Amino acid sequence: QFGLTLFTVLYRRFASVLAACAPRCATMDGIETMRVSEEKKDYIVNILNPLLEEMVAETIHKMPKDPSMFMLDWFENKKVYQEEQALTPEEKQRIIAENEKLQAEINAVKGTVQAVVTMAKDDPAAKKAAEEDEDEEDDDDDEPPPDFERPLGNRARQSVSAEAYGEWNTKKAFVARVVTKSEAQKDRLKAVLSKCFMFESLEENDFNVIIGAMKEVQVAAQERIINQGDDGNFLFVIESGDFDCIIKGQDGAEKVVKTCGPGDVFGELALLYNAPRAASVLCNSPSVCWQLDRDTFTHIVKDSAQKKRCRYDSFLARVPLLANMETSERSQLADALRVETFADAATIVSQGEVGNKFYIVEEGAAVAKKNGVQVMEYGSGDYFGELALIRNQPRAATVTAHGQAKLLSVDGASFNRLLNVGNLLERSHQVYK
């Protein structure tokens, strides 16, 4: 309201100036009669008057119902336009890149949440548990701490953050648990975690904390290690064996939605989103897993895993092959990626060898040669190695790095589970025909 009033006063003050100044070809009698300095007259003629002329002309052309609000919006848009024009091409590209990064992070979060909702939407037990948790939170919100209404006396008022996060909500210092292990167990665990995306980007100290905190678990065949709807306090990393992830629908029928093998992680969604188990997990044969508790996961692993997912989701969204994937599917693919670097002229795959990986070029370039003749060049966002996996045939060409190259690889099992093989085959036929 104050802004509108101030604008009205200013506009009325300069309305007579506008009438005196327009058109430009008219005499300057109106300006000359004003008792202001030559500097201010020059400001009126060369800066203020053209701006007001443009604004008034646009207002008359549009004839808005609320001229005051229209004029305010016009000035704001004018300012934004001028600021945008002042940017250099490099600054514009930087802002665009930052916006794309933020959008990718938003899409990654949406995708993961979508995956949780999709898995849990048919689970009455999960819905009931979520409603009970919400009721408990409402009850907790109704009761302030016992000394909330005590007189403040003469002491200085605390800041808002101090009142909200003082004794009522104290954050305890984190101390990771330590499970005793033999050196042989530690070596086995390190080998398992080296295959797992979630622990790849950890610093050495954090990695050692995880090694110390994990517990070996022997699982019998047909044992359900996780039950849909239960609270989740642990995640599991598979060392050996395979497990089915099962969802029970409203009709009571159970459906296997995913099969996990060595190096895979399950049970992490309940820890990431503090939600009930979205699926049951059944062991198919005698297996060995490593169990990690919620507190250690939250303090050490969670942020690192989410950052990796956000970073690669942004890149994968620009790969033509993956453009039609759902955000949740792309997030799962991001989880399965492994980073591999190759020096100039280093061999990535060799003609005639058995193919067990699919590659996407993240940085740098690569060339494919068949019988010594170059047949293809690859740059950032290009992919190769799919034919050997789709057709179960030896590699059709040798691919080498052209300069320093950084590639993302997906193992054969994850490739077949996560990607649309039919779409890949059709695209490959078009590329290699």
Side-chain angles (χ1 to χ4, degrees):
Q1 185 64 36
F2 173 76
L4 290 175
T5 303
L6 178 60
F7 177 81
T8 303
V9 171
L10 291 173
Y11 180 71
R12 287 174 178 172
R13 177 171 296 178
F14 289 109
S16 59
V17 177
L18 180 62
C21 297
R24 287 182 179 275
C25 59
T27 64
M28 300 295 294
D29 293 343
I31 295 295
E32 294 299 331
T33 59
M34 297 180 64
R35 296 181 179 181
V36 295
S37 66
E38 291 300 322
E39 183 182 3
K40 291 182 179 178
K41 290 179 182 179
D42 185 68
Y43 177 81
I44 291 171
V45 172
N46 297 314
I47 297 179
L48 185 59
N49 186 51
L51 183 65
L52 290 175
E53 280 184 341
E54 186 180 354
M55 181 268 293
V56 171
E58 187 68 15
T59 305
I60 294 172
H61 176 69
K62 297 291 185 181
M63 295 177 57
K65 293 183 179 180
D66 188 345
S68 298
M69 290 303 300
F70 176 84
M71 292 176 185
L72 287 174
D73 290 340
W74 186 89
F75 277 116
E76 182 64 28
N77 292 335
K78 183 78 172 178
K79 179 182 178 182
V80 171
Y81 175 77
Q82 291 174 341
E83 290 176 348
E84 183 178 344
Q85 292 299 110
L87 292 174
T88 65
E90 292 76 13
E91 290 173 330
K92 290 182 180 180
Q93 285 299 113
R94 178 177 56 79
I95 292 173
I96 292 172
E98 290 176 354
N99 288 340
E100 289 179 351
K101 181 180 178 182
L102 290 173
Q103 187 61 51
E105 292 177 355
I106 293 171
N107 290 340
V109 173
K110 285 182 179 179
T112 309
V113 172
Q114 180 183 346
V116 176
V117 172
T118 301
M119 295 179 71
K121 66 180 180 180
D122 296 328
D123 179 17
K127 292 179 181 178
K128 183 177 179 181
E131 292 172 357
E132 291 175 352
D133 288 343
E134 185 176 350
D135 292 340
E136 290 176 1
E137 289 176 2
D138 291 340
D139 293 341
D140 292 341
D141 290 343
D142 291 339
E143 299 181 7
D147 59 349
F148 182 75
E149 297 182 352
R150 72 167 185 258
L152 293 176
N154 295 325
R155 66 181 176 88
R157 180 186 184 276
Q158 289 181 308
S159 67
V160 174
S161 59
E163 291 173 345
Y165 298 100
E167 296 179 0
W168 191 5
N169 191 20
T170 302
K171 184 177 180 179
K172 297 179 180 178
F174 170 69
V175 178
R177 72 173 187 172
V178 177
V179 179
T180 304
K181 301 177 186 67
S182 66
E183 289 302 318
Q185 283 181 305
K186 291 179 181 179
D187 290 341
R188 285 168 43 216
L189 179 52
K190 289 177 181 178
V192 172
L193 297 186
S194 67
K195 305 174 185 176
C196 181
F197 80 93
M198 192 167 285
F199 306 98
E200 280 184 337
S201 55
L202 292 179
E203 298 292 339
E204 183 177 359
N205 289 341
D206 290 339
F207 188 78
N208 290 333
V209 171
I210 297 299
I211 294 292
M214 297 191 86
K215 176 183 177 182
E216 183 175 355
V217 178
Q218 303 285 337
V219 189
Q222 300 306 305
E223 178 182 348
R224 293 207 173 200
I225 191 169
I226 285 178
N227 289 300
Q228 185 174 345
D230 287 354
D231 292 333
N233 293 316
F234 301 95
L235 67 76
F236 299 87
V237 182
I238 304 172
E239 179 179 357
S240 62
D242 60 285
F243 296 76
D244 286 338
C245 299
I246 303 169
I247 290 181
K248 180 185 289 186
Q250 291 181 339
D251 58 357
E254 292 189 332
K255 179 182 178 182
V256 176
V257 295
K258 181 181 179 182
T259 299
C260 300
D264 287 337
V265 179
F266 62 87
E268 79 282 6
L269 292 180
L271 276 59
L272 278 168
Y273 302 105
N274 197 27
R277 297 294 193 188
S280 298
V281 179
L282 175 69
C283 179
N284 291 321
S285 59
S287 306
V288 178
C289 290
W290 292 92
Q291 180 190 80
L292 181 64
D293 64 283
R294 173 190 289 273
D295 286 343
T296 306
F297 171 81
T298 299
H299 286 85
I300 305 296
V301 184
K302 183 176 178 179
D303 289 344
S304 176
Q306 287 182 327
K307 286 178 182 177
K308 180 192 174 184
R309 180 173 287 183
C310 291
R311 181 171 70 252
Y312 286 124
D313 181 79
S314 175
F315 174 76
L316 294 175
R318 299 196 296 269
V319 176
L321 171 69
L322 312 176
N324 295 326
M325 291 183 75
E326 296 289 340
T327 306
S328 57
E329 295 173 330
R330 215 164 40 238
S331 294
Q332 292 180 43
L333 180 59
D335 291 345
L337 293 175
R338 302 291 183 272
V339 180
E340 298 187 35
T341 57
F342 296 89
D344 182 31
T347 300
I348 302 170
V349 300
S350 298
Q351 184 176 349
E353 71 178 4
V354 176
N356 55 12
K357 288 182 182 179
F358 168 68
Y359 292 94
I360 304 174
V361 180
E362 182 180 8
E363 297 176 4
V367 294
K369 293 182 179 180
K370 191 170 184 179
N371 299 324
V373 179
Q374 182 172 320
V375 293
M376 189 72 64
E377 294 183 2
Y378 303 104
S380 179
D382 291 336
Y383 57 91
F384 59 88
E386 75 282 5
L387 290 181
L389 298 178
I390 294 173
R391 299 173 177 172
N392 196 26
Q393 296 176 346
R395 297 290 192 190
T398 295
V399 180
T400 58
H402 185 60
Q404 185 79 12
K406 181 179 179 183
L407 276 63
L408 305 176
S409 66
V410 182
D411 65 89
S414 300
F415 172 86
N416 288 298
R417 187 177 76 246
L418 299 172
L419 296 176
N420 186 328
V421 175
N423 187 21
L424 270 171
L425 192 57
E426 181 180 350
R427 285 176 176 266
S428 298
H429 177 70
Q430 295 173 356
V431 171
Y432 301 118
K433 64 182 178 180

